Amino acid sequence: MDKSTIVCRCEEINIDEIETAIKNGAETFDDIKRLTRCGMGPCQSKTCFYPVNEIIAEYTGMPLNEVSLPRLRMPLKMVRMSTLAQDSEGSNVVSVFGESVEDGES
Ligand code: FES
């Protein structure tokens, strides 16, 4: 890939900027975030997290599964608790008491 390839679309951060951050001591996604704003856009790193971690792994020689996870933040917009409680298929909403409830009842 070309060094000018955009990795973080929200903040328009390219591969060259990520590599420069790594050369300046960044070892984790959070380090790169602090140095470049990568991951601070509206998607909150949903798009750029994996490509940036691949660059970190490639550049440092660290196995990809050992690159540390970023600090997670709450969603940028309001989200219903029932949405957060859904399973991966979007069904089986579970209450805090472990009971299955219909969407809108919580
Ligand atoms: S693509 Fe990086 S924050 Fe959205």
Side-chain angles (χ1 to χ4, degrees):
M1 264 191 280
D2 188 279
K3 299 247 185 218
S4 64
T5 302
I6 298 288
V7 178
C8 177
R9 288 183 275 169
C10 297
E11 295 294 331
E12 297 182 0
I13 308 296
N14 62 32
I15 292 174
D16 189 43
E17 292 170 282
I18 303 295
E19 289 180 354
T20 300
I22 295 169
K23 284 179 197 165
N24 287 323
E27 296 176 339
T28 65
F29 187 88
D30 284 336
D31 292 342
I32 290 171
K33 183 193 273 186
R34 286 185 206 100
L35 291 171
T36 67
R37 289 194 52 83
C38 176
M40 298 176 87
C43 85
Q44 292 290 286
S45 74
K46 284 188 187 86
T47 305
C48 58
F49 169 68
Y50 289 107
V52 168
N53 268 11
E54 285 178 6
I55 294 169
I56 293 169
E58 183 180 313
Y59 220 84
T60 63
M62 189 183 310
L64 185 57
N65 64 349
E66 290 183 17
V67 177
S68 66
L69 296 172
R71 181 181 294 177
L72 298 176
R73 306 237 178 202
M74 293 301 288
L76 188 60
K77 62 182 183 179
M78 299 294 283
V79 176
R80 294 179 57 136
M81 291 304 289
S82 61
T83 301
L84 297 175
Q86 290 177 348
D87 67 11
S88 60
E89 295 163 2
S91 60
N92 294 335
V93 177
V94 179
S95 76
V96 293
F97 304 108
E99 301 162 344
S100 186
V101 296
E102 293 296 319
D103 188 26
E105 289 184 13
S106 53

